[in-house]
Structure formats: structure tokens, C-alpha cells
Amino acid sequence: MEENQLLEKFQEKVDAEIKVEPKDWMPEKYRKTLIRQISQHAHSEVVGMLPEANWLTRAPSLRRKMILLAKIQDEAGHGLYLYSAAETLGVDRQELVEELLSGKAKYSSIFNYPTLTWADIGAVGWLVDGAAIMNQVMLTRTSYGPYSRAMVRICKEESFHQRQGFEIVATLAKGTPEQKEMAQDALNRWWWPSLMMFGPRDDNSPNTAQSMKWKIKRKTNDELREEFIDRTVQQAEAIGLTVPDKDLKWNEERGHYDHGEINWDEFYNVIQGNGPCNQERMKARRDAYDNGRWVREAAKAYAAKRAAKAA
Ligand SMILES: [Fe+2]
Ligand SMILES: [Fe+2]
């Protein structure tokens, strides 16, 4: 078949809501887009463990420590599912990891912000995992089979993450005045970076139209951001905290909140590597890679030995 015909057939299949599977024909650009998106997602899960690991030894109780440990472990698992999903597209995990370590691949800019207080761990679960869920629930319906199936499982765990974070913030918000202040301060610092997680505005997001047509994405950045704001503002109000946006106002006509302008200069600056923790995060990943080298080598040597024995 001619390329044009193949493309037409592919689009018909996507329109008919039939999942695209690894061995099916797919446009090269579809494959490339997915590799980039899934690997960025995998990197974000893995780098996302770092700001939380920072609080593991200082969590205020054994219960909190166990929950945080379980959450971080979930994120490692998400990274592994996602690297596997990317590998079904014919790319090697080693390549992807090298792209992260060399700085060529990106990860979510949110993880370049520091977790300064315990309330930040609550804000990360509530806002960061909360924003991630909006995106990931949409991705359970993405057109690429392995990605969509990975998302189903991941979403179940993410909703636990979001609730544990909200519970931390809610507990602080009804604590002493100092604790409430801490919760408000965390919300103040994490609110805007969380809104940036949905990516640039639709009128500045050149790949969105093609991704929507191929049903890789089902909703635009601005649609997802709006959903997140609508839901989260109410949660903040319920626990007596104030969202740090003086232009935030319910718009009766639209049935959504209007919000103030996001600082896109900050967004691009962090993406370009100049956020508060970019260097620290990359150093932690590179150190982990170097320090784990002997484990990988030992595992390979053991596997080779067993294979030789079996032969
Ligand atoms: Fe995750
Ligand atoms: Fe999570």
C-alpha cells in the first residue's frame, strides 16, 4: 500500500476507537511523538521521587513515613511501566536513560522546585499528583494500546497519592495557627508551578492539533488546566485556604473559574534548566546511575552464568 493509503487506514482505525498496537503500521511521526511523550513521562516519575525522598527521614510520624515510602515506591513502578511501554515502540531503555542523563530529554518542570517544609509534601500530593491525574485519566483513553493500559493501573495509585497529600494539607490547615500558615505557604508556592504542569496555552502549543487528531491527547492543555482549577479551588476553600490568585473568579456564564495570567517566562526558564533545583536533580540521577553500575553489571554477569549453565 502507498503511504497515503496507509495513513488513511490508520486514521480510520483511530477514529473507530481501535487501539494501535506495537506491531501495527503507524506513521513515523506518531511513533516519534509517543516515544518522546512516554519517555518524558517515565523520566518525570523517576525524577519526581527526588523532592519527596528529601522528607522520608523527617516525616512527622511512622504512619506518615510509611505512606510516603509507599508513594515513592509507586512512582518508581510508574517509571518502570512507562519505560516498558516506550520500549514497545522499538526504542531501547538504555537510550532513553542516557538522553535523560545527558540533559537531552526533558521531564516535568515541577520537580525542579524544592520541598522546603513538611507541608510541601502535602502540596505535592494534593496539587502535583492532582494535576498529573487530570492528564493521566485522559491518557487511559489514548490511542496507543500499551500506553493506555499502563495508565489504567497508574491512575488507581495516583488517586491514592492525591488523597494522601490533601489529607496532610487538611490536617495542617486545622492545626495550630503556625501549622495553618505552613499549609497556606505551601499552597502559595506550589499553585502556579502546578498550573504550568499542563504545558503552554493552546494558542502556543503547536503539536496539540496533530495529537488530538491521532487521539494521543483527548483534551487540550487549557481544558485540562481548567478542570484542575475548578476542582482544586473548591478543595482549598473546604479546608479554609486561599488560592494565591487575586484574579481568580467564578464565571457564571462559562461555568468555570477565570484565573490570572501564568508567568510563562518562569515556565520556560525552568524548562531550560534554570529552575531552583535543576542541577541538583540531574546530579542525583547521574550519581544514582553511577552508583548502581555494579548492580547492573553483577545482574548481567549472573544472568550470563545461568544461561551458560542451562545451555
Ligand atoms: Fe506517578
Ligand atoms: Fe503519584
Side-chain angles (χ1 to χ4, degrees):
M1 266 197 278
E2 296 271 322
E3 175 89 9
N4 271 351
Q5 278 175 297
L6 285 165
L7 230 122
E8 220 169 275
K9 283 251 175 288
F10 179 80
Q11 189 63 52
E12 275 170 21
K13 182 170 154 181
V14 168
D15 290 341
E17 300 292 340
I18 300 169
K19 294 282 180 233
V20 180
E21 296 299 336
K23 287 184 178 152
D24 299 349
W25 185 88
M26 60 186 85
E28 197 48 26
K29 200 179 159 210
Y30 178 86
R31 201 178 70 88
K32 288 248 164 70
T33 302
L34 274 166
I35 291 176
R36 184 175 43 85
Q37 189 178 324
I38 299 174
S39 62
Q40 269 183 21
H41 192 165
H43 300 327
S44 302
E45 300 284 354
V46 170
V47 176
M49 292 192 279
L50 297 170
E52 302 193 297
N54 179 37
W55 278 91
L56 265 183
T57 54
R58 293 177 288 163
S61 69
L62 184 59
R63 175 174 171 268
R64 295 290 186 199
K65 195 173 288 197
M66 279 161 51
I67 293 171
L68 185 57
L69 195 58
K71 177 190 190 290
I72 295 173
Q73 201 170 354
D74 286 350
E75 307 298 8
H78 299 172
L80 294 181
Y81 292 158
L82 288 164
Y83 284 125
S84 298
E87 283 189 309
T88 64
L89 291 156
V91 66
D92 189 64
R93 183 182 307 197
Q94 183 66 24
E95 260 172 69
L96 301 177
V97 171
E98 277 163 18
E99 281 178 5
L100 171 68
L101 299 181
S102 73
K104 191 180 158 214
K106 301 283 178 229
Y107 55 87
S108 180
S109 62
I110 192 86
F111 301 118
N112 292 311
Y113 290 86
T115 42
L116 302 177
T117 70
W118 171 250
D120 286 21
I121 295 301
V124 167
W126 175 31
L127 304 173
V128 177
D129 289 83
I133 292 172
M134 294 288 157
N135 197 32
Q136 291 173 354
V137 166
M138 167 190 79
L139 288 172
T140 60
R141 296 189 301 124
T142 193
S143 56
Y144 187 56
Y147 195 22
S148 91
R149 289 188 290 271
M151 281 301 130
V152 172
R153 177 137 179 215
I154 287 177
C155 278
K156 287 182 188 158
E157 295 178 344
E158 292 301 355
S159 63
F160 157 76
H161 299 169
Q162 194 270 349
R163 272 176 279 173
Q164 67 85 35
F166 183 68
E167 198 232 338
I168 291 174
V169 179
T171 304
L172 289 170
K174 59 176 188 244
T176 65
E178 288 83 0
Q179 285 171 325
K180 184 169 183 186
E181 182 51 42
M182 237 169 88
Q184 181 63 53
D185 170 61
L187 174 58
N188 293 348
R189 282 178 295 105
W190 288 90
W191 176 254
W192 293 101
S194 300
L195 298 190
M196 294 176 198
M197 283 176 71
F198 297 95
R201 280 202 337 227
D202 291 349
D203 54 16
N204 193 22
S205 176
N207 300 323
T208 292
Q210 182 64 74
S211 285
M212 296 283 281
K213 190 168 176 224
W214 280 335
K215 300 190 193 289
I216 294 176
K217 284 171 86 157
R218 300 282 184 149
K219 290 176 185 172
T220 69
N221 296 353
D222 287 338
E223 285 169 350
L224 290 167
R225 188 162 21 238
E226 187 159 75
E227 252 181 67
F228 173 75
I229 293 172
D230 289 349
R231 187 172 300 190
T232 313
V233 169
Q234 291 175 7
Q235 292 168 345
E237 279 168 4
I239 55 175
L241 297 183
T242 310
V243 170
D245 177 357
K246 59 177 173 31
D247 297 319
L248 191 76
K249 220 172 50 221
W250 178 253
N251 185 324
E252 197 62 57
E253 219 168 279
R254 294 196 315 117
H256 296 288
Y257 281 94
D258 291 332
H259 63 88
E261 192 51 53
I262 293 167
N263 182 349
W264 293 111
D265 290 342
E266 176 181 330
F267 174 72
Y268 289 112
N269 194 40
V270 175
I271 284 191
Q272 274 149 26
N274 307 316
C277 300
N278 292 61
Q279 290 185 8
E280 189 184 327
R281 301 293 183 240
M282 288 309 297
K283 184 183 181 305
R285 288 314 312 155
R286 290 190 190 113
D287 287 352
Y289 188 77
D290 291 342
N291 294 334
R293 189 182 308 275
W294 71 271
V295 179
R296 293 191 300 275
E297 285 172 1
K300 267 191 194 158
Y302 180 68
K305 211 165 150 186
R306 280 186 57 148
K309 215 173 176 182

